[in-house]
Amino acid sequence: MRIIGMLGGMSWESTAEYYRLTNELVRDQLGGVHSARILLDSMDFADMEQLQSAGRWQEAGELLAAKASALESAGAQMLVLCTNTMHVVVDAIEQAVTIPVLHILDATSARVRQEGLSRVGVLGTAFTMEQDFYRDRLAAGGIQAIVPEPQDRATVHRIIYEELVRGVVTEASRARYRAIIDRLVAGGAEGIVLGCTEIELLVSAEDSSVPVFPTTRLHVEAAVEMALT
């Protein structure tokens, strides 16, 4: 079994899901009391949030690249970045290590194509919904990304940073997300990509009339497959 290096803490709420799901999948596949071999660097999200808000992406990339290199030196044999948004700097991370870095959108795109879909709505932070890095990676896989209207994007982002990263999950926010999903579907979305790891704490397949693609779970499934191969 390969040792999985995890870059986490962005936020720890979603990183906890990465840790739980990874161990559950390894147990399910190997049986008994098996669990995953994991090296986890869980950073203080306040530091990263400040860099995000200030648009200091190069510094953020340098910070994560250093952490990735340290995980490799500690024995990690593959890397998982436990966040959607910070894949904006995945190139810096890949350049800092010699071990594989599993991109969250490669696993997601593969599942979308497997379902025979080519146009998906994306929910995530404002950075994920509005910058090119996310839609370009999907487009490279033959998938068109559509995002909510500005007011809906603001709502999605606010709920992530004011509630979900703090462990707050409410029915009112779930209802708001459902309404936004409905509008994306009305606009032509054939599926919904939950493009923020914390959104999976709030939204599930039952909240959408079209297939939902939970990026955290898909990312973990790809990581466990590689770790056990």
Side-chain angles (χ1 to χ4, degrees):
M1 186 192 310
R2 294 185 186 181
I3 300 173
I4 303 172
M6 288 187 174
L7 288 167
M10 299 165 282
S11 67
W12 73 260
E13 293 283 349
S14 64
T15 304
E17 286 295 291
Y18 267 89
Y19 186 81
R20 180 183 64 82
L21 288 169
T22 301
N23 280 292
E24 286 181 352
L25 283 176
V26 168
R27 179 199 60 198
D28 291 346
Q29 294 193 38
L30 297 184
V33 295
H34 281 288
S35 57
R37 301 181 67 197
I38 294 172
L39 287 172
L40 170 62
D41 185 332
S42 185
M43 69 176 298
D44 183 352
F45 186 46
D47 297 334
M48 184 58 72
E49 192 276 333
Q50 290 178 358
L51 295 176
Q52 291 175 342
S53 297
R56 293 156 59 188
W57 299 108
Q58 182 174 343
E59 291 178 54
E62 291 169 353
L63 174 61
L64 290 176
K67 290 180 175 295
S69 180
L71 283 172
E72 181 176 21
S73 296
Q77 296 168 294
M78 52 187 285
L79 280 176
V80 172
L81 179 56
C82 304
T83 161
N84 276 271
T85 295
M86 295 316 301
H87 275 75
V88 68
V89 297
V90 72
D91 289 348
I93 295 169
E94 290 173 336
Q95 292 168 13
V97 297
T98 61
I99 55 179
V101 180
L102 278 70
H103 198 294
I104 197 167
L105 280 180
D106 291 348
T108 302
S109 296
R111 184 62 58 86
V112 172
R113 291 193 300 270
Q114 183 179 327
E115 294 293 324
L117 308 182
S118 61
R119 193 165 191 246
V120 296
V122 173
L123 300 177
T125 66
F127 314 112
T128 295
M129 292 186 290
E130 295 172 1
Q131 296 189 33
D132 292 336
F133 77 98
Y134 211 83
R135 67 173 64 94
D136 287 352
R137 190 81 176 203
L138 287 170
I143 300 163
Q144 179 186 357
I146 60 176
V147 297
E149 295 299 317
Q151 183 174 350
D152 285 344
R153 292 201 300 269
T155 297
V156 170
H157 183 87
R158 179 189 61 77
I159 290 172
I160 291 169
Y161 278 87
E162 294 183 6
E163 299 178 19
L164 299 181
V165 302
R166 304 168 191 262
V168 177
V169 177
T170 70
E171 287 301 320
S173 291
R174 182 175 287 113
R176 292 188 181 97
Y177 268 60
R178 285 173 175 164
I180 293 169
I181 289 171
D182 288 344
R183 287 191 280 275
L184 286 169
V185 172
E190 302 167 330
I192 301 296
V193 170
L194 305 183
C196 174
T197 49
E198 287 85 5
I199 291 178
E200 289 168 57
L201 303 174
L202 181 68
V203 174
S204 66
E206 289 72 28
D207 298 304
S208 172
S209 61
V210 296
V212 165
F213 298 93
T215 53
T216 297
R217 176 169 286 278
L218 296 173
H219 203 194
V220 167
E221 288 175 355
V224 170
E225 180 179 2
M226 175 176 282
L228 297 182
T229 300

